[in-house]
Amino acid sequence: MVSAQALLDGSTLDDSTVITRSRDQPELFALLFDRHADEIFRYAARRLGPEPAEDVVAEVFLAAFRGRDRYDPSHPDARPWLYGIATNVVAHHRGAERRRVRALVKVAGQRPGADTFDDRSVDRVAAGQLGPRLARALAALSSKERDLLLLVAWTDLTYEDVARALAIPVGTVRSRLHRVRAKLRRVLGGTDPLSMESMA
């Protein structure tokens, strides 16, 4: 039996155990939030921007809490499950993502010498993070292709984890990623998008 202090500390519990025990002790679910909220926020912020990302994190963990009875306890790491929920929540914010990608394309395509310091800062950040050709290429992908590519590029999930997150077979992850990379290499003049610094 695990001591009360270990339950509070949580360091000895894997994600699966936390989720399972949170069914009887809902307050334990906070451990999952403490472990993974920052990572989910970073992913959502890269997709939608920082303000909508806060809402995404709240929605992800609310959905996870409500769906914790359906979590497969054979998976000790809950990150693929959380990223899957995050991907679905981002889908509800597709308009914000499309506006963000279009804005990045526009800003990255501007000439240097924007009018204000804020404009110049945004221009430098956008150009450094997402070049105009890459931004246009990402905008041209289907939402499923973009979800897959960004989960592979922006998380440290394995292909198996990405398959769990997207609820598709790992073979589909590999074949779809191969097609997406080939499509982007054509647009980017032979450069592999996953090797680009802006995708890291």
Side-chain angles (χ1 to χ4, degrees):
M1 184 165 167
V2 179
S3 72
Q5 181 57 40
L7 287 176
L8 290 175
D9 176 11
S11 62
T12 61
L13 304 176
D14 64 24
D15 292 345
S16 176
T17 304
V18 169
I19 293 167
T20 301
R21 291 188 181 179
S22 75
R23 294 170 186 160
D24 295 324
Q25 297 174 288
E27 66 278 3
L28 285 179
F29 200 81
L31 293 172
L32 200 69
F33 181 88
D34 292 343
R35 289 177 185 173
H36 304 299
D38 289 344
E39 186 175 344
I40 298 298
F41 175 83
R42 286 190 298 274
Y43 174 73
R46 290 182 87 173
R47 301 244 359 217
L48 303 172
E51 288 179 30
E54 291 177 12
D55 294 337
V56 168
V57 170
E59 291 176 50
V60 165
F61 282 92
L62 179 60
F65 182 77
R66 288 178 175 164
R68 70 192 189 280
D69 288 339
R70 294 185 305 275
Y71 184 77
D72 180 353
S74 68
H75 299 290
D77 182 3
R79 290 176 317 123
W81 178 58
L82 294 170
Y83 276 114
I85 296 170
T87 299
N88 291 333
V89 171
V90 166
H92 294 295
H93 295 267
R94 287 278 186 230
E97 184 179 41
R98 280 191 297 272
R99 287 188 297 276
R100 181 169 173 76
V101 169
R102 280 196 303 265
L104 289 171
V105 168
K106 192 175 194 178
V107 169
Q110 289 179 352
R111 292 177 317 203
D115 296 334
T116 68
F117 174 79
D118 288 341
D119 290 341
R120 288 191 308 272
S121 297
V122 168
D123 193 10
R124 280 194 307 272
V125 169
Q129 290 181 343
L130 198 63
R133 288 190 316 166
L134 181 57
R136 281 191 293 275
L138 286 175
L141 295 176
S142 73
S143 59
K144 287 182 179 183
E145 292 171 329
R146 193 167 38 252
D147 289 342
L148 173 67
L149 180 69
L150 297 180
L151 275 174
V152 170
W154 289 348
T155 70
D156 64 351
L157 298 179
T158 65
Y159 286 175
E160 290 77 12
D161 290 340
V162 170
R164 276 186 45 221
L166 298 177
I168 58 177
V170 70
T172 302
V173 168
R174 293 178 193 282
S175 62
R176 193 177 290 168
L177 182 61
H178 177 76
R179 285 192 306 271
V180 169
R181 290 172 81 175
K183 185 186 295 187
L184 291 178
R185 272 194 296 267
R186 284 192 299 274
V187 172
L188 299 171
T191 302
D192 183 358
L194 294 180
S195 69
M196 294 180 70
E197 192 172 305
S198 58
M199 289 296 293

